Amino acid sequence: MSQGPLKAVPQLVSILLLAGVSLAVWTAWLGWDQHRDVQPDGTTTGPYEAWQVIGLVLALLVPVYWAASRRYIAGAVLGTTAGLTVAAYYDWSDDSSGLFMVGVGLIMVGSLAVTAVVSAIASAKRRVGRPRGH
């Protein structure tokens, strides 16, 4: 009896789980800050500070590394990318210029690249640390 479809279930669950984690982490680090700061010269910055983005990245390293080290590569890469892309779209979609889609695209491409690299490192570390014959 083939168990092919059953092997796909944990990968699908990992994708959904990492997408949910990514949405929650985005909300915790960035979702609450919608205020732009006006500088003395009249320019605006924000709404996020560098420490918030750094916190988001560091907080996501743990679940991405965990999933990838357990061979849930699809969850680590696709789930995290999907969660961050959806969060960015929802958070920025009130921009009337439409340029928010450029930012959403950059979030998607950047998170896809970074999670792929982190997943490759986590997967390689697991292979190196595994005893021969297993």
Side-chain angles (χ1 to χ4, degrees):
M1 193 172 358
S2 173
Q3 291 190 0
L6 292 179
K7 290 181 180 181
V9 171
Q11 288 293 338
L12 179 60
V13 169
S14 74
I15 292 170
L16 295 173
L17 180 65
L18 268 290
V21 167
S22 298
L23 281 166
V25 171
W26 177 286
T27 301
W29 284 99
L30 305 179
W32 56 271
D33 190 357
Q34 302 299 316
H35 182 285
R36 293 195 176 273
D37 299 321
V38 179
Q39 303 301 317
D41 65 357
T43 60
T44 59
T45 62
Y48 314 124
E49 299 291 331
W51 65 267
Q52 291 172 282
V53 177
I54 292 167
L56 170 74
V57 170
L58 293 176
L60 284 174
L61 279 176
V62 173
V64 168
Y65 187 88
W66 179 87
S69 67
R70 282 156 181 76
R71 300 282 193 246
Y72 297 123
I73 305 298
V77 176
L78 300 178
T80 303
T81 299
L84 290 177
T85 303
V86 167
Y89 180 86
Y90 179 78
D91 203 14
W92 300 341
S93 63
D94 61 349
D95 175 37
S96 60
S97 72
L99 288 175
F100 76 95
M101 284 305 295
V102 173
V104 171
L106 290 172
I107 291 289
M108 181 179 66
V109 171
S111 61
L112 186 66
V114 171
T115 55
V117 168
V118 170
S119 296
I121 292 168
S123 182
K125 284 188 76 140
R126 178 161 185 204
R127 267 185 267 133
V128 169
R130 185 186 311 162
R132 297 207 184 259
H134 287 90

